[in-house]
Amino acid sequence: MKKPLLLLGLLIPILGYSQTPTQKQLEELTTQSWHHGLDLLKEIVSMPNDATFPEQIEVNIAWCEDQFSKRNWTSERLDTGGIPLLLAEKKEPNATKTALLYFHIDGQAVDLSKWNQESPYKPELKSQEKGGDWKSIPMSLLDEEYDPDWRIFARSSSDDKGPFAMFLTAWDAMIGANLSPDYNIKIILDFEEEQGSPLLPAAVSKYKNELASDMMLIMDGPRHTSNLPTLSYGARGISQMTLTTYGPKTPQHSGHYGNYAPNPAFLLAQLLASMKDEEGRVIIPEFYDGINLTQAEKEILKSVPDDEIAIQNRLGLGRTDKVGNTYQESIQYPSLNIRGMESAWVGSEARTIVPATALAEIDMRLVPESDPVRLFELIKEHIKEQGFQILDHDPSDEERMKYPKIVKMDYSISYQAFRTPMDSETGEWLRTAMRRAFDEEPIQIRISGGSIPISPFVDALGIPAVTIPTVNADNNQHSPNENIRLGNYREGIKTILSILTQPLEPKSIEKK
């Protein structure tokens, strides 16, 4: 593949394209912009972006501001009391509709020792060997060659800088072809998503007039595991809880005090085990109340082409929990997950002691039908029924003597779930664009299992929201060796091009 001529990162205008490019024309535009898109991707992932280091995030914010300025967009920082949000806007003449796009630019922290390359912030091109290992190959190969299965490894290459680079590439390709959307666009960039976006809900309420739009498009997350074009109409919310149980005030010799001093690790294990049955279902009464899938909804879930055996093989599972009959059914319900446990010491540091404390970190994924405040109250009642006194602080000596079983409980709610009806106008508009790009119906996910901080926008702005995932599902997001498959990056550019050029005015939206 020859590298096309670029001027200042923008395509030379291409004449002869209709305002709504055909599938072939979308492919041509994607090909023309390919190397420009790769340059943007390599540039954006080369900036460290751990939100625990504000000085790193400042570099990323400035870079994004510069990118918008080069494209004649307006942008402003929205003060949150901490790391700001960045709102960019591009108005189109005579447009009456506005789409709000969401990306996040921060990334998960990195453990350099776990990455199979010099640095997570020095992108490397890799190909997969027969044994499954990934081997670095010269980035210069991309000047003349293209293999859709090659991958670029770097932090945030998929989550979520890659999709933002796709958008910038698609925008430049569209403008270079003398095309433009028939609607206004606002983009909100979040720089603390991997920290749970703690300041986002208040900021959305504060700036609801500036954010006002007709719909929200979330450019985050992986495609379905089949890697076919995908739309997702919702995402589970997330809340978290920490439980701490107590034994002796300090760790005690297990020979002297074993069988005498209650072990807090056993107390905690018994408490946690009392919350679920052997098939993984939460047995706290009313935990699943409100979720009643209709037959029509079950048919929608069945239509998602999950290969359950392949999923189980990939995860190494000989059985699955029975909350739902299938993977898709299972994520329609709230979850109760132990994400970490700690008590005393293990491995080479193990000691023959009765521990002083045991701790469990728990997360709950939420669905629209589940009120997290109600769920926490149910959990509290269940804990009390197991004979525990619940505290919000470490127990005093008096409390230790008064209550036989004590648990400290801390909890918080990050954000709620959201779900947009599949038959909404927004859904049909996006399906029309993607049919034009790929000549097939996209896979439709009723709600995704992961969480993204979108419900504050949906609640405050009163708009529908749909996720347009583009990256490969096996991208190692949040983990060492995060990557993006070149075929996904290329199809992501085409996907965004199709949406940017899909008429949104009511008279133009294709009806079923």
Side-chain angles (χ1 to χ4, degrees), residues 350-384:
R351 305 169 192 186
T352 52
I353 58 152
V354 177
T357 60
L359 180 148
E361 291 279 0
I362 294 169
D363 62 56
M364 283 197 302
R365 299 288 174 166
L366 309 169
V367 296
E369 295 86 352
S370 59
D371 174 7
V373 175
R374 183 182 72 85
L375 295 184
F376 280 126
E377 289 302 317
L378 293 176
I379 292 171
K380 283 182 182 179
E381 286 304 312
H382 177 80
I383 292 174
K384 290 176 183 177

Side-chain angles (χ1 to χ4, degrees), residues 142-448:
L142 293 174
D143 291 343
E144 300 291 337
E145 298 181 43
Y146 167 73
D147 184 328
D149 290 322
W150 287 349
R151 302 190 184 195
I152 289 179
F153 283 69
R155 172 56 87 219
S156 298
S157 54
S158 276
D159 185 27
D160 182 38
K161 285 183 171 181
F164 185 53
M166 293 174 197
F167 175 85
L168 295 177
T169 305
W171 179 267
D172 293 344
M174 179 185 64
I175 298 302
N178 289 325
L179 303 175
S180 63
D182 74 342
Y183 53 93
N184 303 314
I185 300 179
K186 295 179 181 180
I187 293 179
I188 190 75
L189 297 183
D190 187 352
F191 297 91
E192 287 189 293
E193 195 269 353
E194 301 295 7
Q195 306 296 318
S197 301
L199 304 174
L200 181 66
V204 173
S205 295
K206 179 180 178 181
Y207 296 105
K208 61 189 301 183
N209 291 334
E210 290 85 348
L211 295 166
S213 308
D214 295 287
M215 65 179 65
M216 188 167 193
L217 309 179
I218 304 107
M219 314 301 292
D220 190 12
R223 281 177 167 184
H224 180 259
T225 54
S226 65
N227 206 30
L228 295 172
T230 304
L231 290 174
S232 179
Y233 294 84
R236 293 196 290 186
I238 187 168
S239 57
Q240 42 278 321
M241 172 173 60
T242 302
L243 297 177
T244 306
T245 52
Y246 298 85
K249 287 199 291 185
T250 59
Q252 296 297 316
H253 191 293
S254 64
H256 298 323
Y257 290 100
N259 290 350
Y260 184 82
N263 188 308
F266 274 110
L267 281 174
L268 184 59
Q270 290 160 358
L271 175 59
L272 295 173
S274 73
M275 296 181 184
K276 283 192 173 187
D277 64 20
E278 291 183 356
E279 295 192 311
R281 289 179 290 243
V282 175
I283 55 177
I284 298 172
E286 302 178 22
F287 192 84
Y288 298 126
D289 277 12
I291 300 106
N292 299 295
L293 296 173
T294 66
Q295 190 56 43
E297 288 167 337
K298 288 182 179 181
E299 290 302 317
I300 289 172
L301 299 176
K302 273 186 187 179
S303 69
V304 179
D306 287 328
D307 185 335
E308 301 273 344
I309 300 301
I311 294 173
Q312 292 168 34
N313 284 335
R314 180 168 60 85
L315 299 179
L317 297 175
R319 66 184 183 92
T320 62
D321 286 347
K322 302 302 180 187
V323 178
N325 294 319
T326 64
Y327 170 73
Q328 291 298 325
E329 269 194 41
S330 71
I331 60 177
Q332 309 304 310
Y333 295 84
S335 70
L336 185 64
N337 174 61
I338 301 170
R339 64 186 185 188
M341 299 179 70
E342 178 183 83
S343 186
W345 299 268
V346 298
S348 61
E349 297 182 347
R351 305 169 192 186
T352 52
I353 58 152
V354 177
T357 60
L359 180 148
E361 291 279 0
I362 294 169
D363 62 56
M364 283 197 302
R365 299 288 174 166
L366 309 169
V367 296
E369 295 86 352
S370 59
D371 174 7
V373 175
R374 183 182 72 85
L375 295 184
F376 280 126
E377 289 302 317
L378 293 176
I379 292 171
K380 283 182 182 179
E381 286 304 312
H382 177 80
I383 292 174
K384 290 176 183 177
E385 289 175 2
Q386 309 310 305
F388 284 86
Q389 177 67 31
I390 301 174
L391 302 178
D392 61 2
H393 57 272
D394 290 327
S396 64
D397 287 350
E398 291 77 13
E399 287 169 326
R400 284 176 173 273
M401 300 306 294
K402 183 177 180 179
Y403 303 116
K405 291 165 51 173
I406 295 172
V407 63
K408 182 174 74 172
M409 181 178 181
D410 298 313
Y411 64 91
S412 62
I413 302 164
S414 293
Y415 36 83
Q416 297 273 31
F418 77 94
R419 189 171 62 229
T420 295
M422 288 182 170
D423 59 359
S424 63
E425 283 196 349
T426 301
E428 179 55 30
W429 174 69
L430 289 170
R431 288 192 294 275
T432 301
M434 293 182 75
R435 283 194 296 265
R436 178 161 53 88
F438 298 102
D439 196 28
E440 62 180 328
E441 287 287 339
I443 292 171
Q444 300 188 79
I445 307 295
R446 183 174 184 257
I447 193 168
S448 65

